[in-house]
Amino acid sequence: MSWKVGFGIAFAIVAVFAAALIYSMMPTGVGQASSATTARGFMDPIKVGAKPAGLLPPVAGFGAGALYKQAYQRLQALAPGRHALRRINHNADPTGDPTLVAILTLLEKAAGKGLTRPHLLFYVHPPLPKVNDEVQSRLETLSTLTSQAGAAYEFAHHPKRARAAFSAGLSFGYRLWKKGLYVPERMVGLDAMENALAGLRFLYQKGPLENMYLDHSVLKLNRHVKAALAKWDAKYQIVHNVSPFAPDLINIIRHDHDISWRIAAITSLGVARWATSNAGKARAILEFLQKESRSNNGWISAAAKQAAAFTRTTINSLSD
């Protein structure tokens, strides 16, 4: 009988471990994730499968990060609110405004410098899923400035200056995409690349800078950027949602290979806690966030602590 007892004990141990594994894979107390986040490949990093080789100025020395911060801070001082930003965005020819040209010059200089810092960050805290995100709006305006300046220089028959402006926008976007930590920064990066590539293609198709090889490079990179944007937008709709689905968010937090989405999902989970009328689910979400706040990853821990501290006032402020 001893072998039967031993077999029974071994089977029980395996069963306990299997049950623990299955339990650890399931959202605790909030239900099951949907097919949207359990689809094959959903948790894989979204990539741009081409590099802007040949489309950017040669890099000499370092210091791009500091230059980007200076450009951002100058724009922040120039346009502290949405109305001022809107005026800049509607300026069809920023090349006639010395204050905007100074910001553009910083972006162009940064394109020719190396970037050594691990992340290109513009947020002090993990960004909230707000309707109007001022940091994101300023980053978008910096991108718009390069595109508008490039178009203005092209119209004024200064193709090399136009190329410098568009290349600055492409470099800024690519670096936001590669070095950004938070979803809004990286989203602006994708959009900025797409806008800059449209300008560069116009330059390389005809005129004094006509270049079939570079035009081909622009088209190739643009295809990859558009493909990444489509995947990015689909994921964004799940994470940045007015009625976030907690099981999907927890699934992303546990299994996504991209820390940007894990942080965004944690923040949205803090919103989901207040969006549910089920006290048990709200309590389970809070417990999960408290557990994540003890993560060894400092970025995850900071996001979870912030999300766990959300109040009703925090939620109401998101629509401002």
Side-chain angles (χ1 to χ4, degrees):
M1 295 292 289
S2 61
W3 68 271
K4 292 183 178 180
V5 173
F7 179 80
I9 293 173
F11 181 81
I13 292 173
V14 171
V16 168
F17 275 106
L21 178 62
I22 292 172
Y23 179 79
S24 69
M25 298 287 284
M26 296 171 61
T28 305
V30 295
Q32 296 297 309
S34 72
S35 59
T37 61
T38 56
R40 183 176 181 179
F42 180 85
M43 301 295 180
D44 294 341
I46 297 171
K47 297 180 179 180
V48 173
K51 295 181 180 180
L55 300 175
L56 299 178
V59 173
F62 299 95
L67 290 169
Y68 286 133
K69 282 299 181 76
Q70 286 181 46
Y72 180 87
Q73 289 165 356
R74 287 198 184 189
L75 178 64
Q76 185 176 21
L78 185 64
R82 291 199 298 271
H83 296 298
L85 275 178
R86 191 175 296 116
R87 285 196 298 272
I88 293 173
N89 287 324
H90 286 96
N91 186 344
D93 186 6
T95 62
D97 186 332
T99 57
L100 295 180
V101 171
I103 295 173
L104 176 65
T105 300
L106 288 170
L107 295 173
E108 290 177 348
K109 286 182 178 179
K113 297 292 182 181
L115 182 64
T116 56
R117 60 185 66 189
H119 294 294
L120 188 58
L121 295 175
F122 295 89
Y123 290 91
V124 178
H125 306 290
L128 303 181
K130 299 182 68 173
V131 173
N132 297 302
D133 184 328
E134 290 187 353
V135 175
Q136 183 176 0
S137 294
R138 291 190 190 106
L139 295 176
E140 290 170 345
T141 299
L142 289 176
S143 168
T144 300
L145 174 62
T146 63
S147 296
Q148 290 174 332
Y153 282 134
E154 169 65 18
F155 183 76
H157 304 292
H158 297 301
K160 291 185 178 180
R161 289 177 121 186
R163 179 175 59 190
F166 289 134
S167 295
L170 179 60
S171 178
F172 182 55
Y174 186 70
R175 284 163 163 173
L176 279 175
W177 167 248
K178 297 293 288 187
K179 294 280 192 173
L181 176 66
Y182 300 120
V183 164
E185 294 165 327
R186 300 186 67 197
M187 179 172 285
V188 172
L190 285 172
D191 288 333
M193 282 193 284
E194 188 175 38
N195 293 335
L197 289 168
L200 286 172
R201 189 176 184 214
F202 187 81
L203 284 177
Y204 293 139
Q205 278 185 317
K206 60 182 181 179
L209 298 184
E210 182 180 353
N211 187 310
M212 290 180 61
Y213 174 77
L214 291 178
D215 184 43
H216 175 74
S217 296
V218 168
L219 285 173
K220 179 181 178 181
L221 180 56
N222 193 50
R223 285 196 299 270
H224 285 282
V225 169
K226 284 184 179 295
L229 263 171
K231 294 180 180 178
W232 197 266
D233 285 342
K235 207 164 199 174
Y236 187 80
Q237 298 304 318
I238 295 172
V239 175
H240 198 289
N241 195 304
V242 292
S243 299
F245 187 54
D248 279 341
L249 297 176
I250 290 177
N251 197 28
I252 291 171
I253 295 164
R254 284 178 166 166
H255 304 299
D256 204 288
H257 295 168
D258 189 332
I259 191 172
S260 298
W261 288 112
R262 291 172 63 198
I263 291 172
I266 286 172
T267 304
S268 287
L269 190 61
V271 177
R273 173 191 166 207
W274 290 96
T276 181
S277 58
N278 186 308
K281 287 184 178 180
R283 185 167 55 252
I285 290 172
L286 178 59
E287 290 173 355
F288 180 85
L289 290 172
Q290 290 172 336
K291 174 178 173 293
E292 291 299 308
S293 70
R294 298 188 292 274
S295 170
N296 292 330
N297 185 303
W299 302 112
I300 295 295
S301 174
K305 287 177 181 177
Q306 175 181 272
F310 283 175
T311 64
R312 182 67 66 184
T313 301
T314 308
I315 306 305
N316 292 338
S317 71
L318 298 180
S319 60
D320 294 342

